[in-house]
Every structure is written in C-alpha cells, then in structure tokens.
C-alpha cells in the first residue's frame, strides 16, 4: 500500500520531493534478510549461495546447509558503498567496503549512522570463471574492487560482471 501524496520536504539543510509523513506513508510488509556468500567446499567449483536468515536481527536462523545455490563457478561477489560525504550533492565521493567501519577503511570523520545515511550508490561485481580449465591461456590478473585473482595462470577464463546502482529513496 502506498499513499501517493508527495510534497517538497525539508530535512535539515536539504530540500527534496518526498512523502511528507516519511516512511509512515509506506507499507512494505515483512522484509526478509538474506546472506550471499561463496561456498568453497568444492575448491574447483566455488558456488554463489543465498541463505535466508529471517526478518530481524543479525542471525536469527536459516541453516547454512539449507542455503540455495544461485550459480556455480562464481569466484567472488564484491560490494562497495558510495557515500556522499558532504550530504548535499547526491554524488558518491567516497567508496567503502564497510561504511560502518568508521575507524578503518571508511574513516570519513563522520559517525557510523551518518555514513550509513549518506549511502547514495552501491557497486556490485561478480567474477565468474569457466567450469573447465583450458590450455594455452595467457594474460595477467586484473583486480576487481578489492579482489585479485590468483597471480599464476591456472587455466580458467574469468568474466567480470559489474554494475553501479543508485540508491533510490535513501531518505526513507
């Protein structure tokens, strides 16, 4: 259910078109929390899996052995978050692997909640590889976000799929 009214809303020094009552104008229904991970239990065929964990909390359930296979021969799944550190341009000027890590990789001088509130984009990259090794492959490893494939030539062709997604409704 969505109430289709909207108006010019001012929040602090920022003005934007939105729902005047904020999130109370929306009824999203229950949300499910999922974990995506790479299962490397079969070393020659890493697998992208998804575990449904529940609706609240960090780990309220969902057994790892019940995870769904999304795709085989996926070497890595990388995510970075783009922050608008000024809070007023809507353009990412800082990319972080973990925006909550305010003392390390995402030290912006802002608090954890300010970093999280200023996420305006997400980069996602998936590295897939051929199922079988090939002969006479040459080349060099190219890094993808913070992942670098093995330096030695291991016989696998790799393919990178990446996207940058603008966060919509980040003011909700």
């Amino acid at each position: 259910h969505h109430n289709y009214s909207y108006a010019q809303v001012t929040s602090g020094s920022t003005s934007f078109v939105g729902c005047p009552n904020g999130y109370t104008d929306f009824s999203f229904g229950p949300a499910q929390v999922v974990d995506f991970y790479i299962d490397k239990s079969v070393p020659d065929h890493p697998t992208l899996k998804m575990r449904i964990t529940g609706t609240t909390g960090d780990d309220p359930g969902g057994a790892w052995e019940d995870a769904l296979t999304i795709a085989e021969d996926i070497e890595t799944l990388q995510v970075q978050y783009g922050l608008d550190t000024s809070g007023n341009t809507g353009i990412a000027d800082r990319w972080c692997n973990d925006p909550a890590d305010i003392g390390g990789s995402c030290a912006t001088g802002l608090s954890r909640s300010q970093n999280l509130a200023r996420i305006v984009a997400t980069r996602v990259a998936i590295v897939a590889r051929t199922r079988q090794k090939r002969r006479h492959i040459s080349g060099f490893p190219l890094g993808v976000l913070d992942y670098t494939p093995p330096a030695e030539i291991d016989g696998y062709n790799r393919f990178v799929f990446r996207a940058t997604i603008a966060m919509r409704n980040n003011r909700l």
Side-chain angles (χ1 to χ4, degrees), residues 57-72:
D58 289 334
D59 193 6
W64 290 105
E65 59 270 9
D66 294 335
L68 302 170
T69 296
I70 302 299
E72 293 181 341

Side-chain angles (χ1 to χ4, degrees), residues 23-52:
Y23 68 89
T24 59
D25 276 354
F26 288 86
S27 176
F28 293 108
Q32 288 192 304
V33 179
V34 297
D35 289 323
F36 289 94
Y37 69 98
I38 304 297
D39 178 1
K40 296 183 179 182
S41 59
V42 179
D44 287 339
H45 301 290
T47 303
L48 175 61
K49 292 200 170 189
M50 178 182 74
R51 176 180 77 136
I52 299 173

Side-chain angles (χ1 to χ4, degrees), residues 27-112:
S27 176
F28 293 108
Q32 288 192 304
V33 179
V34 297
D35 289 323
F36 289 94
Y37 69 98
I38 304 297
D39 178 1
K40 296 183 179 182
S41 59
V42 179
D44 287 339
H45 301 290
T47 303
L48 175 61
K49 292 200 170 189
M50 178 182 74
R51 176 180 77 136
I52 299 173
T53 60
T55 57
T56 60
D58 289 334
D59 193 6
W64 290 105
E65 59 270 9
D66 294 335
L68 302 170
T69 296
I70 302 299
E72 293 181 341
D73 297 304
I74 302 298
E75 205 162 274
T76 189
L77 169 68
Q78 299 287 308
V79 179
Q80 284 187 331
Y81 301 92
L83 279 65
D84 171 10
T85 58
S86 68
N88 58 17
T89 65
I91 298 171
D93 56 16
R94 176 74 181 261
W95 291 92
C96 302
N97 295 335
D98 181 2
D101 183 14
I102 60 171
S105 69
C106 201
T108 60
L110 302 170
S111 71
R112 177 184 185 275

Side-chain angles (χ1 to χ4, degrees), residues 115-170:
N115 272 0
L116 295 174
R118 292 181 180 189
I119 296 172
V120 294
T122 304
R123 287 180 182 160
V124 179
I126 295 174
V127 177
R129 68 181 193 189
T130 54
R131 183 139 182 91
Q132 298 173 345
K133 291 184 178 186
R134 314 231 187 245
R135 292 187 180 154
H136 311 297
I137 290 181
S138 63
F140 55 92
L142 295 174
V144 177
L145 302 182
D146 70 346
Y147 174 77
T148 303
E152 72 278 354
I153 296 176
D154 59 3
Y156 292 107
N157 283 348
R158 289 175 174 79
F159 306 91
V160 178
F161 302 94
R162 64 172 99 197
T164 301
I165 302 127
M167 297 288 102
R168 296 176 54 199
N169 303 324
N170 63 336

